Amino acid sequence: MRQFVLIAHDVPLEPDFSLDDLAGGAGRLDALCRSITASFVTSHGIREDVNTHLVVQDEFTITFTGSDLRRFNPDERSTAALVRNALEHREEAIGALPAEPSPGIELYRRGLADTLAELADDGPVVQLHEDGAPVVDIDAAELESGVFVLSDHRDFTGAEAELLDAHVEQRLRLGPERLHTDQAITVAHHYLDTAGYDRF
């Protein structure tokens, strides 16, 4: 199981944003939707062994479970509609119990700290960051069940950096160039799919 944790700093908590203005009024939800799509979609298929967690303003976490997703389309607007629909059900998330707005999607009333604590036993927590060690220095097999943490268009805040210092086992970079989050997810998948570029 591969997992991705995406930090959404500016996505509105109120689900009244327009699907026609994802880059503006929806807090760069367009870029985050591209990242969610990149974590799941293959050519004519979907990765069922992936979970992706969208942490919205450190208050809610929307979890997408690949094995249970239905009618998941590879376009920003439809993915944004799934996010908005999940936020519309936020009052149904009580304590540790999630809201379940649609198949394969759950909304939890928890922020980054609780999400990382929940995932800590699933595999190594890995921060993807341009200041990390080269990913090729790590055996790909060690990362196959990794929990990869990425930020949106903003850098990690100071509080997030301190929190990650307490949870992260590896801080890795994927190449010499800075990548958008969706690109980083694609490269990470490729690195693991090819067992560290050894299997094609």
Side-chain angles (χ1 to χ4, degrees):
M1 174 70 69
R2 299 174 195 170
Q3 301 194 70
F4 297 92
V5 176
L6 309 175
I7 301 175
H9 293 103
D10 299 327
V11 171
L13 297 175
E14 292 293 331
D16 56 0
F17 52 84
S18 171
L19 297 179
D20 296 322
D21 187 23
L22 299 179
R28 291 312 312 268
L29 185 53
D30 60 325
L32 289 160
C33 287
R34 287 195 294 272
S35 301
I36 295 168
T37 298
S39 68
F40 289 111
V41 173
T42 61
S43 180
H44 305 292
I46 190 170
R47 295 179 185 268
E48 295 188 358
D49 59 344
V50 169
N51 289 351
T52 296
H53 313 271
L54 181 67
V55 182
V56 182
Q57 289 199 36
D58 205 31
E59 291 197 31
F60 296 103
T61 295
I62 303 172
T63 294
F64 297 77
T65 302
S67 59
D68 296 329
L69 281 175
R70 299 294 178 267
R71 298 180 296 280
F72 186 81
N73 299 308
D75 66 278
E76 296 170 18
R77 187 183 177 90
S78 64
T79 303
L82 293 174
V83 171
R84 187 173 69 177
N85 181 56
L87 290 170
E88 288 173 349
H89 289 78
R90 64 195 183 284
E91 297 304 323
E92 299 170 20
I94 302 173
L97 297 176
E100 299 179 359
S102 56
I105 299 177
E106 297 175 319
L107 181 141
Y108 293 86
R109 192 175 292 275
R110 62 189 181 207
L112 181 60
D114 289 339
T115 295
L116 290 177
E118 183 69 22
L119 302 176
D121 294 333
D122 292 352
V125 178
V126 178
Q127 181 184 15
L128 294 181
H129 196 280
E130 64 266 20
D131 293 333
V135 69
V136 292
D137 290 349
I138 306 298
D139 185 349
E142 296 179 21
L143 303 176
E144 186 58 46
S145 61
V147 178
F148 299 92
V149 184
L150 305 98
S151 188
D152 55 9
H153 62 294
R154 298 186 184 278
D155 203 353
F156 296 97
T157 66
E160 289 164 354
E162 289 184 13
L163 179 62
L164 289 170
D165 284 344
H167 285 87
V168 164
E169 298 178 36
Q170 302 277 356
R171 193 178 196 214
L172 301 176
R173 71 173 184 269
L174 298 172
E177 299 292 337
R178 297 181 68 177
L179 301 173
H180 289 165
T181 301
D182 61 313
Q183 296 170 328
I185 290 171
T186 298
V187 172
H189 270 317
H190 188 249
Y191 184 73
L192 297 180
D193 288 346
T194 58
Y197 308 130
D198 285 338
R199 179 181 65 227
F200 284 86

